[in-house]
Amino acid sequence: MKIKKAFATMFVTFASVLLVAGCSSSDDNANKDGKKTVEFMHLWPEGSSKQHNKIVSDIIMDFEEENPDVKIDLEVLSNEQYKDKLKVLSTSNELPDVGMTWAAGFLEPYVNGDKFATLDDILEEDLKDSFVSGTAEAYEIDGDTYGLPLELNIATVFYNKAIFDEYDLKEPETFEELEKVVKTLNDNGVAPIALGNKDRWTGSLWYMYLADRIGGVEVLNNAIDRSGSFEDPALIEAAEKVQNLVDMDAFVKGFNGLSDEEAKSMFMSEQAAMYLIATWDLPNYTTNEDVPQEFRDSVDYFNFPTVDDKGDMNSFVGGPGVGLFVAEDSDVKDEAKDFASFFVQEWGEKSVTDAGVIPATKVDGESLDLPQMYVDVLDDLNAASNITLFADVQMSADVAQVHLDMIQSLFGEDSTPEDFAKEHEDALSTEE
Amino acid sequence: MNKVMSNKWIIALYVLPGLLLISVLIFIPLILSAYYGLMKWDGIGAMEFIGLENYINAIQDAKFWESAFHSFLLALFSTLSLVIYLAISIILASKIKGSDILRKIYLIPMLLSSVAIAQLWIKIFNPSNGMLNSILLGLGVENPPAWLAEPSIVLYAIFIPILWQYAGFYILIYYAALKNIPESLIEAARIDGATPFQIAYKIKLPLIMGVVKVTIVLAIVGSLKYFDLIYVMTGGGPNGASEVMASYMYKLAFASNDFGYGSAIGFLLLIITLIVTVIVRKATATKEEIQY
């Protein structure tokens, strides 16, 4: 009997120890050997973003070599999981010292909650004048900058030259020409445009471009920042044009149930002729060795066409993608800032040569041997008259959800263009 | 042993670790989420107390009730499908050839993770290359539907993998219960001239009624809080056509940054599930328990 009692006591003790150990915090930033640990979280897992992932590892290695007393503690998650985890960590005040964030609407609650540190000091010293204008500004709230942009993207329509040649088609420069291309392709049984509208921001790109071409560069921005209205005739007309395209079967079948990945794979397996996506996809059409050379050679891109002779083909939808933040309550803020600054500088070089994506820092295109399409995109960027930030990034999270849901509903023809505009107007005006 | 168990302190000591765990992991978060429901909170910054506003909004929220309706539809279908599982189990439990291997095959979906199942069915449902539409086209159906894109179909299309996912689980439970029925009872019925259908309906079913009731509760509660496949396969879309309560809650808290409102919905979800469970238990309660 005594033995059993002893066992029971032991078990209880053991269980309590486990429980207590589980609750105690384990993040001591100073190791025994005097090394400081900077926690870093990013969203480019090896499986889906091989080149990005490798560059990050290289940068970390270089940084640790130059700063032997600092150790980088890495955590990698994929995009959606990353967003969720970041939110949960910030709720419990355990943000990593350095991590990735998006601009504008995503950033705002973190800044208002004092979670992110201002990075003005880095911007004024190490990184002075190194960013393309407009990129770092997207991370600015009330005059302070809270993120260091890594990427710069513009959305363009990629198309399959082989398919276009087969049916004797040209790059469309007007919406009518685009409609003709769509019609010819449909007549020949080729799906014209790959669109994965389950993810919703993909459809938003189409809408934004139509709004930009029809109403000019300011009308959508004004509707969002409330100096204008979403029930502007141009914004309603853009929604009508979207439904025209849907009526023509311009998009692949069942697009509202397909993810962007599925749409991309349709384009890349030559089942669809066109695909509107941002330039983060450039490597797939230029340097990515996993994609057959033949396909890469047959892809080109054109700027979104004008609509009814309105709009400027050098105006783009796009903007900075992810940027780095430093946590406000980090114990190793100085080291974290050093790392962030180091990261941005090395990223600026390596992302061009190794990944073939466009960094937010200025690129010296002349001195490097770059794929032709990459050079073309750089030229377009230099010639850009305007870059409108992605609508769902501009808006606050709440309104962005309304926007994204309404995009799906507009493309699915569940809402009329007027309802589409009204729902936006309602959501935006309750926020004022 | 009896001496140990008669000591109240020892009992308390034994219960303590489990109680602590369940409190920390379940009860405390539960109370906290009810409390967060009283707040205006984006999940990041400071909280602001707004009383019952979130709960009142939720009750008036058409989107919430629509998602609740979808959840109840799922509960209805899961409960109805139990009849099929029961029939399969009765066939499996009778001595037919290969019942052993069939039982294992039925169980396979349970061994897969939800995300794997979702990926599998996304491929099956793919409107242009999917297995389902390829078969339909082969059979001469013109223009088969885009299963996950059409608001009127999407919900039912997703129900199929959800029901498929759990079929093995219920079949296993029924099978075990049926195997527990003493052979002598069935033998006796057979000697009295009962048909196989009569044996199943009049002897087997009443004897495993207790288990059936449990599975009904499991199916309903499981459906009401269901989340996984919906989240991966459609994310509740297009435009809320396949939204259920749990995915709506998730969307509010994590995508719309409205943790207060999301918590309120979460708490309502708990209350609804609780009420339904009580009703179901009451409705299926019988006074006499059949014994063998």
Side-chain angles (χ1 to χ4, degrees):
Chain A
M1 206 55 34
K2 263 190 183 155
I3 296 170
K4 281 212 167 127
K5 211 166 180 176
F7 264 121
T9 324
M10 220 167 80
F11 173 72
V12 170
T13 322
F14 186 59
S16 328
V17 167
L18 266 184
L19 205 67
V20 171
C23 294
S24 79
S25 110
S26 53
D27 54 333
D28 22 312
N29 278 307
N31 285 7
K32 284 175 205 122
D33 51 0
K35 269 196 174 187
K36 286 188 172 171
T37 306
V38 174
E39 293 162 33
F40 175 51
M41 222 163 96
H42 76 79
L43 44 80
W44 291 315
E46 203 178 345
S48 55
S49 321
K50 197 170 152 202
Q51 282 143 321
H52 288 65
N53 186 285
K54 191 174 166 303
I55 296 176
V56 174
S57 312
D58 289 349
I59 294 176
I60 290 174
M61 242 186 331
D62 290 349
F63 183 77
E64 285 181 337
E65 217 162 87
E66 278 187 29
N67 303 274
D69 56 335
V70 181
K71 192 180 163 305
I72 305 293
D73 191 7
L74 186 66
E75 185 171 358
V76 189
L77 295 149
S78 70
N79 197 317
E80 294 306 313
Q81 280 86 336
Y82 179 88
K83 282 183 189 167
D84 290 352
K85 177 141 191 184
L86 196 67
K87 203 160 289 175
V88 172
L89 287 178
S90 83
T91 309
S92 50
N93 261 329
E94 282 176 13
L95 281 177
D97 300 308
V98 182
M100 288 183 177
T101 175
W102 286 262
F106 183 89
L107 186 67
E108 217 177 308
Y110 290 92
V111 171
N112 291 340
D114 291 327
K115 302 292 181 191
F116 291 173
T118 62
L119 301 171
D120 295 328
D121 42 345
I122 308 184
L123 272 178
E124 268 151 38
E125 289 160 25
D126 309 3
L127 297 172
K128 198 169 168 60
D129 293 330
S130 50
F131 288 108
V132 176
S133 82
T135 52
E137 283 82 347
Y139 293 85
E140 203 176 280
I141 289 174
D142 297 332
D144 292 319
T145 308
Y146 294 89
L148 303 174
L150 293 177
E151 307 166 299
L152 176 58
N153 295 297
I154 50 172
T156 56
V157 184
F158 290 91
Y159 72 99
N160 190 321
K161 263 190 296 193
I163 299 180
F164 267 51
D165 287 346
E166 197 178 337
Y167 301 110
D168 209 15
L169 297 167
K170 284 199 321 274
E171 293 182 0
E173 290 190 352
T174 64
F175 193 70
E176 291 73 43
E177 285 175 23
L178 178 69
E179 286 182 323
K180 263 184 215 142
V181 168
V182 165
K183 194 165 177 308
T184 313
L185 290 170
N186 265 334
D187 288 346
N188 289 289
V190 180
I193 300 166
L195 170 67
N197 208 26
K198 183 173 109 183
D199 293 339
R200 306 176 295 170
W201 54 263
T202 40
S204 175
L205 295 180
W206 281 91
Y207 177 73
M208 285 188 68
Y209 262 123
L210 287 166
D212 173 275
R213 295 298 187 258
I214 294 170
V217 296
E218 287 304 323
V219 61
L220 189 64
N221 291 348
N222 287 348
I224 294 171
D225 71 21
R226 303 315 297 148
S227 55
S229 160
F230 215 100
E231 287 175 291
D232 189 287
L235 292 178
I236 296 177
E237 198 192 328
E240 279 164 9
K241 290 278 187 219
V242 165
Q243 295 198 332
N244 287 353
L245 283 174
V246 173
D247 288 336
M248 294 179 68
D249 287 329
F251 304 108
V252 291
K253 184 172 179 173
F255 56 82
N256 256 353
L258 296 175
S259 67
D260 178 50
E261 286 299 320
E262 289 171 280
K264 183 181 299 175
S265 76
M266 287 187 82
F267 178 66
M268 296 193 41
S269 57
E270 317 207 340
Q271 293 177 38
M274 291 175 275
Y275 177 48
L276 172 61
I277 199 71
T279 44
W280 57 67
D281 248 20
L282 265 181
N284 282 337
Y285 316 124
T286 52
T287 52
N288 189 345
E289 294 293 334
D290 297 341
V291 180
Q293 180 74 40
E294 199 192 338
F295 174 74
R296 280 184 278 157
D297 287 343
S298 70
V299 174
D300 203 350
Y301 75 92
F302 57 84
N303 296 354
F304 201 90
T306 58
V307 180
D308 300 334
D309 292 328
K310 283 181 281 186
D312 174 2
M313 278 178 76
N314 284 325
S315 167
F316 293 96
V317 170
V322 291
L324 294 177
F325 71 82
V326 171
E328 176 68 27
D329 58 358
S330 164
D331 300 334
V332 285
K333 217 170 182 173
D334 292 336
E335 285 77 8
K337 282 187 175 178
D338 286 347
F339 176 64
S341 158
F342 182 88
F343 192 103
V344 168
Q345 291 172 45
E346 269 214 19
W347 174 263
E349 298 156 21
K350 291 201 157 139
S351 63
V352 180
T353 50
D354 298 355
V357 294
I358 298 173
T361 37
K362 289 171 187 161
V363 182
D364 179 12
E366 308 266 300
S367 61
L368 296 164
D369 179 27
L370 297 167
Q372 187 53 42
M373 199 193 289
Y374 190 95
V375 177
D376 292 345
V377 171
L378 274 185
D379 287 345
D380 275 341
L381 260 177
N382 289 332
S385 61
N386 162 63
I387 296 177
T388 306
L389 187 60
F390 304 112
D392 58 322
V393 179
Q394 275 190 59
M395 297 165 169
S396 72
D398 221 0
V399 181
Q401 285 309 311
V402 174
H403 167 67
L404 293 169
D405 276 345
M406 285 317 290
I407 282 286
Q408 222 174 19
S409 154
L410 177 77
F411 275 74
E413 304 200 307
D414 286 337
S415 303
T416 63
E418 287 75 21
D419 289 343
F420 173 81
K422 192 174 175 303
E423 291 277 339
H424 277 89
E425 183 62 24
D426 290 349
L428 284 162
S429 57
T430 47
E431 280 236 317
E432 269 177 274
Chain B
M1 199 66 213
N2 285 335
K3 205 171 154 201
V4 176
M5 281 315 211
S6 63
N7 186 337
K8 292 236 162 48
W9 288 107
I10 295 287
I11 295 174
L13 207 60
Y14 271 112
V15 169
L16 190 71
L19 188 71
L20 267 178
L21 268 179
I22 210 166
S23 310
V24 169
L25 295 177
I26 297 179
F27 290 121
I28 295 176
L30 213 106
I31 295 164
L32 277 178
S33 83
Y35 167 74
Y36 291 147
L38 301 171
M39 302 289 167
K40 184 177 163 61
W41 185 35
D42 61 9
I44 298 160
M47 289 187 224
E48 182 195 333
F49 184 82
I50 51 166
L52 286 172
E53 203 181 304
N54 281 330
Y55 290 97
I56 294 166
N57 285 344
I59 287 168
Q60 293 167 343
D61 184 349
K63 275 194 173 166
F64 170 65
W65 289 113
E66 198 190 328
S67 67
F69 174 67
H70 295 157
S71 294
F72 277 103
L73 264 185
L74 176 59
L76 180 70
F77 277 92
S78 332
T79 316
L80 291 179
S81 63
L82 290 179
V83 178
I84 302 168
Y85 305 151
L86 190 59
I88 293 174
S89 315
I90 288 175
I91 295 167
L92 283 181
S94 61
K95 287 163 193 136
I96 60 159
K97 246 188 186 165
S99 79
D100 217 37
I101 187 93
L102 279 174
R103 211 178 70 234
K104 280 167 188 138
I105 290 173
Y106 285 129
L107 199 64
I108 288 174
M110 249 196 76
L111 307 177
L112 300 173
S113 81
S114 291
V115 177
I117 291 177
Q119 292 301 339
L120 182 73
W121 282 85
I122 285 174
K123 300 272 183 311
I124 291 176
F125 280 138
N126 187 300
S128 23
N129 315 323
M131 192 168 90
L132 186 57
N133 278 7
S134 301
I135 292 174
L136 286 177
L137 280 171
L139 290 175
V141 178
E142 269 176 53
N143 211 2
W147 300 97
L148 298 179
E150 277 165 41
S152 53
I153 306 177
V154 58
L155 193 63
Y156 304 99
I158 290 201
F159 283 175
I160 295 168
I162 296 176
L163 298 181
W164 179 77
Q165 178 182 16
Y166 288 106
F169 173 70
Y170 293 112
I171 290 174
L172 192 71
I173 292 181
Y174 289 147
Y175 180 83
L178 287 165
K179 276 288 167 192
N180 257 340
I181 299 174
E183 197 58 32
S184 57
L185 290 177
I186 294 160
E187 204 65 37
R190 202 169 288 139
I191 289 165
D192 285 344
T195 63
F197 181 76
Q198 281 173 323
I199 294 176
Y201 188 68
K202 292 265 166 77
I203 311 266
K204 287 180 178 169
L205 189 61
L207 284 175
I208 63 162
M209 210 53 209
V211 174
V212 173
K213 281 180 207 160
V214 171
T215 56
I216 291 176
V217 172
L218 281 178
I220 291 178
V221 172
S223 304
L224 289 180
K225 58 178 194 175
Y226 194 77
F227 177 74
D228 323 6
L229 288 190
I230 305 259
Y231 172 67
V232 185
M233 287 178 71
T234 63
N239 193 23
S242 60
E243 200 87 86
V244 292
M245 286 192 281
S247 65
Y248 188 55
M249 166 186 84
Y250 170 85
K251 207 179 234 177
L252 284 172
F254 284 91
S256 301
N257 265 352
D258 204 341
F259 260 72
Y261 195 34
S263 302
I265 299 269
F267 195 69
L268 283 183
L269 169 63
L270 173 81
I271 304 271
I272 290 174
T273 316
L274 211 62
I275 293 172
V276 171
T277 312
V278 170
I279 293 174
V280 171
R281 306 255 344 180
K282 279 258 161 69
T284 56
T286 40
K287 286 196 190 81
E288 44 174 338
E289 201 58 36
I290 300 165
Q291 299 276 338
Y292 27 78

